[in-house]
Structure formats: C-alpha cells, structure tokens
C-alpha cells in the first residue's frame, strides 16, 4: 500500500470509523484516539493488508480496540475501587509514610535505570502493551523485549528491596 492509497483510505473512512467508535464508547476524545490507533495499526501492517476488504478490516480493528479499551478501563476501575475499599483512610500514618517512601524510591530507581530497559518496562506497565506490540514499536525481537523487561525488574528488585 502506498502513501497516497493510505491517504485515500484515511480520508474516506476516518470519520465513519470515529463515529462508529463514538457510538460504542460515548466519549469523543477516546473515539478520536482509538480511530487514530486503528489507522496507525493499518499503516504499520500496510504491506500485509489486502485493500479489497479494507472497510471490513477497519471496523474489525476498531471493534477489537474498543473492547480492549473497555477491558483496560474496567480493570483500572476495579483496581481503583479496591484501593478505595482498602483505602488510605484505613492505613496507619506509618503505612502512609512507608507508601510515600516506596513511591519516591520507585521513581528514583526508574530514573537510574538504563533508558532501553526503562522504555520497554514503561511500555509494558504504563501503556499495558504486550511484548509483541513493544517489539513492533521498537523494531526489536520479542526475545529482546523479554530480556529488557526482565533486566528492568531485576534492577527494581535490587533497588527497592
């Protein structure tokens, strides 16, 4: 797929894909973000995509990404509810102090960590990307991603324990 062909597809389908996502998630900014991600995924896989069925593919990718976003949001909300249920108000002042100290040490350890390890680790933990997604984004093998994240975890273990 050439740039001009991709641009035509983008111009033809972006608004309808964004509207489709909006009707599923009811949030305009999330719909725009996911729609952009849909086209990013198409661009990344441009050499493997058959443009004959592009409309169906776009809607399939959009549906999968909406479901994935829903699951991530649901997991975050469940975690937040658990945190509120156990709550900071139930923690002793000593536990609160220990928690704040651990946050500071964690932040410091991340700053000390090598950039390649930190980048892969944060993609995995903060962006919740799978190893193969990280390898695609960084242009390295999945094994290299595993090695970087394992190294990052070992580094954090030594710094925090």
């Amino acid at each position: 797929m050439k740039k001009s062909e991709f641009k035509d597809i983008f111009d033809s389908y972006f608004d309808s894909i964004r509207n489709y996502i909006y009707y599923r998630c009811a949030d305009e900014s999330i719909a725009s973000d996911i729609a952009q991600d849909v086209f990013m995924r198409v661009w990344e896989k441009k050499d493997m995509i058959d443009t004959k069925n592009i409309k169906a593919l776009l809607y399939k990718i959009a549906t999968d990404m909406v479901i994935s976003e829903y699951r991530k949001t649901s997991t975050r909300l469940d975690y937040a509810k658990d945190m509120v249920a156990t709550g900071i108000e139930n923690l002793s002042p000593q536990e609160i102090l220990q928690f704040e100290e651990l946050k500071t040490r964690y932040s410091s350890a991340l700053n000390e960590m090598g950039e390649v390890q930190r980048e892969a680790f944060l993609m995995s933990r903060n962006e919740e990307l799978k190893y193969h997604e990280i390898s695609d984004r960084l242009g390295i093998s999945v094994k290299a991603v595993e090695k970087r994240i394992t190294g990052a975890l070992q580094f954090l273990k030594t710094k925090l324990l």
Side-chain angles (χ1 to χ4, degrees):
M1 178 185 318
K2 297 177 183 176
K3 281 185 180 180
S4 61
E5 190 176 7
F6 177 78
K7 183 180 179 344
D8 291 341
I9 291 169
F10 182 87
D11 291 342
S12 299
Y13 294 107
F14 184 80
D15 289 334
S16 61
I17 294 293
R18 183 180 47 203
N19 290 337
Y20 172 75
I21 295 167
Y22 175 72
Y23 293 131
R24 306 245 1 231
C25 71
D27 186 317
E28 217 172 296
S29 66
I30 290 175
S32 293
D33 290 346
I34 293 174
Q36 289 174 6
D37 290 343
V38 166
F39 284 94
M40 281 298 298
R41 186 161 295 166
V42 168
W43 178 251
E44 289 169 354
K45 309 276 185 192
K46 67 184 179 284
D47 297 331
M48 298 179 276
I49 292 178
D50 178 18
T51 56
K52 292 177 192 168
N53 300 323
I54 194 70
K55 184 176 180 180
L57 178 65
L58 291 171
Y59 281 96
K60 172 69 172 134
I61 293 171
T63 300
D64 291 347
M65 291 182 100
V66 167
I67 291 169
S68 178
E69 181 65 28
Y70 173 78
R71 286 181 181 151
K72 287 177 187 176
T73 303
S74 175
T75 301
R76 285 186 197 118
L77 290 175
D78 289 346
Y79 178 74
K81 285 178 189 175
D82 288 345
M83 290 304 292
V84 169
T86 58
I88 290 185
E89 66 275 354
N90 295 336
L91 296 178
S92 71
Q94 181 180 0
E95 290 171 324
I96 292 172
L97 185 63
Q98 288 173 338
F99 176 73
E100 292 300 323
E101 181 183 325
L102 181 61
K103 272 184 13 183
T104 303
R105 289 177 43 215
Y106 174 74
S107 179
S108 174
L110 280 177
N111 288 334
E112 292 176 31
M113 187 183 296
E115 187 172 335
V116 289
Q117 287 181 336
R118 181 176 55 242
E119 182 180 34
F121 177 76
L122 292 176
M123 284 180 173
S124 171
R125 297 308 191 264
N126 292 357
E127 296 180 42
E128 299 177 5
L129 296 176
K130 294 177 175 49
Y131 285 7
H132 69 87
E133 293 172 326
I134 296 169
S135 73
D136 288 345
R137 194 180 281 186
L138 296 177
I140 59 176
S141 70
V142 174
K143 203 68 172 163
V145 172
E146 290 174 10
K147 186 175 180 181
R148 288 179 183 187
I149 292 176
T150 300
L153 290 171
Q154 289 172 342
F155 181 83
L156 287 173
K157 185 177 179 181
T158 59
K159 289 290 184 181
L160 298 178
L161 296 181

